[in-house]
């Protein structure tokens, strides 16, 4: 990835310091310059600059791997393959929980529990590994100002009362959740592309963006000429950066999405094509003239590996649909929201 820092690309510290004085920090910064410019900055010969270009290009270019190598690498990996949600039936269907190394999207109408789920997963990621956690920090990018530190503490105390029985443990968990409020597309993208060093230095084991759709839908009106292309370009760049982080560090990335209404009789734009994984009307009795779908369109839906749809079943009961997963069949689970977070119907407290 072009956002990789040069010091992680195999260049000497002295050379990195020299380049840094010219605001050349990432592989993209370096590769954007001509050989002549690099010769002036580094003081190296043309051959030396050419060798550096090859080193940096190899460092940020995706490496070819065989299917056998990928399987062997994952089977010998020390990090867990997933982060359990502690919703037992959902974890069983997903073969362990939210997968590490890929993007998981949570979509649904307002108030159905998307942020509650994200806060709950933040607590779970900080838990020791012998309790099913990842024993690491969390980066939580909040674009809707919906995060609640009080709710984080309440979920931790209520869901795991035996573990969180001291102020010190609650303080440790809350100090591991690093919250960033980013309210524009540029801010979100800059934060994502600067996360690599933070993931390493703070031992981050989970990245959450709540929500992806909020800033995108505010800034890009797809009815205006050129906006659809610009929006898709932004989403593609964002998805590529998040996938790189998930795969490079073998961590789960959780994203929340909003919903929109698709008029079946209207001419669909590329942003609003509906696939089965987008459709939220499967249990809502769609009239046939319109359906409720995940926002950001069919192109975005291909960027996420797993999609969970949260829906209302009544005033208090809701359901989770596994709409897209490489491991799980299409299935649903009824849940309620309690003091301890999400609780599946019939499930006892973890």
């Amino acid at each position: 990835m072009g956002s990789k820092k040069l010091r992680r690309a195999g260049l000497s510290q002295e050379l990195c310091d020299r380049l840094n004085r010219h605001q050349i920090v990432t592989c993209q910064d370096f590769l954007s310059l001509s050989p002549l410019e690099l010769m002036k900055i580094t003081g190296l010969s043309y051959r030396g600059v050419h060798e550096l270009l090859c080193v940096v290009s190899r460092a940020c270019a995706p490496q070819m791997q065989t299917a056998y190598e990928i399987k062997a690498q994952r089977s010998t990996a020390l990090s867990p393959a997933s982060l359990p949600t502690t919703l037992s039936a959902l974890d069983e269907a997903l073969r362990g929980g939210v997968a590490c190394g890929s993007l998981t999207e949570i979509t649904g109408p307002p108030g159905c529990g998307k942020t509650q789920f994200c806060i709950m997963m933040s607590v779970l990621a900080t838990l020791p590994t012998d309790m099913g956690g990842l024993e690491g920090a969390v980066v939580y990018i909040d674009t809707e100002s919906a995060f609640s530190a009080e709710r984080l503490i309440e979920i931790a105390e209520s869901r795991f009362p035996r573990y969180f029985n001291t102020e010190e443990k609650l303080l440790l968990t809350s100090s591991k959740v690093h919250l960033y409020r980013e309210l524009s597309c540029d801010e979100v993208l800059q934060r994502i592309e600067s996360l690599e060093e933070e993931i390493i230095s703070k031992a981050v084991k989970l990245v959450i963006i709540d929500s992806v759709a909020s800033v995108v839908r505010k800034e890009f009106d797809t009815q205006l000429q050129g906006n659809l292309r610009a929006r898709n370009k932004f989403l593609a760049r964002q998805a590529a950066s998040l996938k790189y982080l998930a795969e490079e560090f073998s961590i789960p990335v959780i994203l929340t999405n909003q919903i929109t209404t698709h008029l079946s009789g209207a001419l669909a734009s590329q942003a609003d094509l509906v696939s089965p994984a987008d459709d939220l009307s499967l249990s809502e009795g769609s009239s046939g003239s319109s359906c409720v779908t995940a926002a950001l369109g069919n192109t975005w839906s291909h960027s996420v590996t797993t999609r969970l749809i949260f829906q209302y079943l009544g005033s208090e009961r809701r359901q989770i649909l596994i709409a897209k997963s490489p491991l799980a069949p299409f299935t649903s689970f009824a849940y309620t929201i309690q003091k301890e977070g999400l609780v599946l119907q019939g499930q006892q407290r973890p």
Side-chain angles (χ1 to χ4, degrees):
M1 289 293 297
S3 59
K4 177 179 280 190
K5 298 293 188 290
L6 286 170
R7 65 172 63 103
R8 294 193 64 231
L11 274 61
S12 68
Q13 186 61 50
E14 180 184 355
L15 183 56
C16 288
D17 290 341
R18 183 183 300 179
L19 292 167
N20 193 47
R21 287 195 290 269
H22 292 82
Q23 287 77 51
I24 303 169
V25 180
T26 67
C27 292
Q28 182 177 343
D29 297 335
F30 188 87
L31 296 173
S32 297
L33 299 175
S34 68
L36 182 59
E37 289 172 316
L38 290 172
M39 288 170 64
K40 290 179 179 178
I41 293 170
T42 63
L44 296 175
S45 65
Y46 178 80
R47 180 186 288 272
V49 166
H50 178 73
E51 290 175 356
L52 281 180
L53 285 167
C54 291
V55 169
V56 174
S57 297
R58 283 194 296 268
C60 67
Q63 301 296 313
M64 187 280 295
Q65 286 183 296
T66 65
Y68 175 80
E69 288 171 336
I70 295 172
K71 184 178 184 302
Q73 184 179 0
R74 290 181 178 174
S75 62
T76 58
L78 298 177
S79 57
S82 59
L83 171 60
T85 67
T86 67
L87 304 173
S88 54
L90 179 62
D91 286 340
E92 183 179 353
L94 294 174
R95 301 189 190 179
V98 177
C100 296
S102 65
L103 310 187
T104 297
E105 183 198 77
I106 313 298
T107 192
C112 64
K114 302 188 298 295
T115 297
Q116 302 281 334
F117 180 81
C118 290
I119 294 174
M120 187 177 84
M121 295 306 294
S122 297
V123 173
L124 297 173
T126 67
L127 292 176
T129 52
D130 59 4
M131 292 182 65
L134 299 178
E135 204 164 348
V138 178
V139 166
Y140 196 116
I141 300 174
D142 181 12
T143 67
E144 297 183 327
S145 300
F147 180 85
S148 168
E150 292 77 15
R151 183 64 174 134
L152 179 92
I153 297 299
E154 182 181 41
I155 289 175
E157 287 182 308
S158 303
R159 203 168 191 88
F160 302 100
R162 292 182 182 177
Y163 180 75
F164 290 106
N165 55 5
T166 64
E167 286 293 325
E168 288 78 13
K169 287 183 178 179
L170 286 169
L171 179 61
L172 179 62
T173 285
S174 58
S175 65
K176 285 184 175 181
V177 180
H178 304 280
L179 179 69
Y180 297 100
R181 285 204 163 96
E182 312 292 6
L183 304 178
S184 72
C185 288
D186 286 342
E187 288 176 355
V188 171
L189 193 57
Q190 287 173 13
R191 177 63 58 190
I192 292 170
E193 293 183 343
S194 67
L195 280 182
E196 191 170 19
E197 287 191 349
E198 187 169 355
I199 289 173
I200 297 169
S201 63
K202 296 179 179 176
V204 172
K205 298 296 183 181
L206 172 64
V207 173
I208 294 173
I209 303 181
D210 182 23
S211 77
V212 172
S214 176
V215 290
V216 174
R217 297 179 84 185
K218 282 189 293 186
E219 292 190 28
F220 293 101
D221 181 356
T222 56
Q223 301 302 314
L224 298 178
Q225 187 175 7
N227 267 11
L228 177 57
R229 179 177 295 178
R231 188 182 84 163
N232 286 342
K233 184 178 180 180
F234 168 81
L235 288 171
R237 183 175 170 183
Q238 180 174 259
S241 296
L242 290 169
K243 284 181 179 180
Y244 165 74
L245 294 174
E247 293 170 2
E248 178 75 6
F249 299 103
S250 189
I251 60 174
V253 174
I254 297 176
L255 317 164
T256 68
N257 194 1
Q258 298 175 348
I259 61 171
T260 188
T261 301
H262 172 76
L263 301 176
S264 58
L267 181 63
S269 71
Q270 288 183 339
D272 297 315
L273 292 173
V274 182
S275 74
D278 298 325
D279 193 355
L280 277 71
S281 306
L282 297 168
S283 62
E284 295 184 353
S286 175
S287 64
S289 61
S290 65
C291 63
V292 180
T293 71
L296 305 183
N298 198 31
T299 301
W300 169 256
S301 73
H302 290 296
S303 299
V304 298
T305 306
T306 304
R307 169 172 279 168
L308 304 180
I309 296 175
F310 286 25
Q311 290 181 317
Y312 287 106
L313 288 179
S315 58
E316 294 185 4
R317 291 176 63 244
R318 302 162 171 86
Q319 72 173 359
I320 300 173
L321 295 174
I322 301 179
K324 179 185 179 185
S325 170
L327 301 173
F330 183 88
T331 186
S332 64
F333 310 92
Y335 71 95
T336 58
I337 297 177
Q338 308 292 340
K339 282 182 64 177
E340 60 264 39
L342 273 66
V343 178
L344 293 187
Q345 186 175 358
Q347 177 179 322
Q348 309 231 340
R349 175 184 285 173

